[in-house]
Amino acid sequence: MPLSQPWTLVSPASRGIGQALARHVLRTTKAPMVATARGDLERAKEEILEGMNPNARERLSMVALDFLDESTIASASQHCADRFPQRTHHLHLALVVPGLLFPEKAPAQIDADNALLTLQTNTLGPLLAIKHFARHLPRKSTSLPDSATDAFANLPLPATWATMSARVGSITDNKLGGWYSYRASKAAVNQITKTFDNHLRTQAGEKAVAVAMHPGTVRTGLSRDFWDSVAKEKLFEADWVAERLMGVLKDGSGDKLRGRCWDWKGEEVPP
């Protein structure tokens, strides 16, 4: 059986943290990448590649994926299956980072349509990504090269499925209330992460783990309405956060990280 070669996934990668993560992974690793966007793939690709060396362009492919449309998730997965046959390749790093926030400060501000959209984007979307992309992760029977080879340079070990969560998804840490739909969507992400990691223990053993990530408050469109209320030292740039999150994934051992939520400092966010 041939040794399996790694590839990476960042979804979505058209803006914000996703774009910063895609650029960081392309810049620091040698693995090919599939990045997704809902539309205008060429524009998204050029923004990711801005300032990169030609090798990055050769390793990056863009695929259409809308987390609100399962058919596009299935199609994106099939594109990856065609490009990276499971006999010779495996998904080694998946960064699944959709995000939507409606800040309901009181129960009267809850809007059913907005709440449903929040849960569809932040929770159901990543869950459907697991449904369609889990098959690409290594299994117990997958033959992997020596981790010291160039193909694994600066990639986390073992293979890692990482979904974007948030500290406000912690029930233990909830002392302020508000943000009902967003909190619920991220608490559900943490539960899904634990459940999926249990599945990976059975299917992949120590070769794949699932984790959730908390990036802090990042200067992106998601948090724009709150920039003025956040202390300067606690409002982070997307590139800075991408580097810190990847450092946590790369430096942490699989057994330590698996099934739990970790912040940009490498500290666990309690359930």
Side-chain angles (χ1 to χ4, degrees):
M1 179 178 294
L3 296 178
S4 182
Q5 298 300 312
W7 59 277
T8 64
L9 170 72
V10 181
S11 183
S14 54
R15 57 188 174 85
I17 296 177
Q19 185 181 94
L21 284 167
R23 287 177 56 80
H24 180 83
V25 173
L26 276 174
R27 188 170 56 247
T28 59
T29 76
K30 297 184 178 181
M33 174 185 291
V34 174
T36 79
R38 282 191 297 177
D40 202 347
L41 299 183
E42 191 59 33
R43 179 194 61 79
K45 183 174 185 177
E46 292 307 316
E47 289 183 355
I48 293 170
L49 291 172
E50 184 178 357
M52 295 277 184
N53 62 46
N55 176 264
R57 183 176 295 276
E58 296 173 4
R59 290 186 288 127
L60 175 64
S61 63
M62 297 295 305
V63 180
L65 188 152
D66 183 346
F67 281 95
L68 302 180
D69 183 348
E70 183 177 0
S71 68
T72 70
I73 301 174
S75 294
S77 175
Q78 186 56 49
H79 167 90
C80 294
D82 294 339
R83 183 175 183 194
F84 303 111
Q86 288 174 270
R87 182 173 174 273
T88 55
H89 293 77
H90 69 277
L91 174 55
H92 193 84
L93 174 64
L95 302 169
V96 182
V97 297
L100 184 67
L101 167 61
F102 295 100
E104 311 120 333
K105 297 180 181 179
Q109 294 179 330
I110 298 171
D111 177 87
D113 290 338
N114 288 345
L116 180 59
L117 184 58
T118 298
L119 291 165
Q120 286 178 314
T121 303
N122 297 351
T123 308
L124 183 58
L127 181 58
L128 292 174
I130 288 172
K131 171 184 175 181
H132 291 284
F133 280 88
R135 61 177 172 142
H136 301 296
L137 291 165
R139 300 173 68 88
K140 288 180 179 178
S141 60
T142 303
S143 297
L144 300 176
D146 188 305
S147 60
T149 60
D150 282 350
F152 290 95
N154 292 318
L155 287 172
L157 295 172
T160 301
W161 182 281
T163 307
M164 193 63 74
S165 185
R167 187 174 298 280
V168 296
S170 169
I171 296 172
T172 304
D173 194 59
N174 184 358
K175 299 177 177 63
L176 297 176
W179 295 23
Y180 292 85
S181 303
Y182 189 72
R183 286 184 184 275
S185 72
K186 295 302 187 178
V189 163
N190 295 341
Q191 179 66 281
I192 288 168
T193 296
K194 176 62 176 177
T195 304
F196 184 40
D197 187 70
N198 287 340
H199 170 80
L200 291 177
R201 284 181 184 271
T202 301
Q203 298 295 314
E206 300 305 313
K207 293 180 179 178
V209 302
V211 303
M213 305 182 296
H214 165 59
T217 304
V218 186
R219 193 188 296 273
T220 65
L222 180 74
S223 63
R224 185 179 300 276
D225 292 343
F226 317 109
W227 290 355
D228 293 340
S229 62
V230 177
K232 184 178 180 180
E233 65 274 13
K234 292 185 178 181
L235 182 61
F236 307 134
E237 298 299 327
D239 290 343
W240 186 88
V241 168
E243 181 178 356
R244 295 312 184 276
L245 290 177
M246 283 303 302
V248 172
L249 296 182
K250 179 177 176 294
D251 296 337
S253 68
D255 281 340
K256 173 190 174 184
L257 298 180
R258 68 181 313 156
R260 294 185 281 176
C261 181
W262 301 90
D263 71 8
W264 57 272
K265 295 177 289 185
E267 297 178 357
E268 183 179 4
V269 177

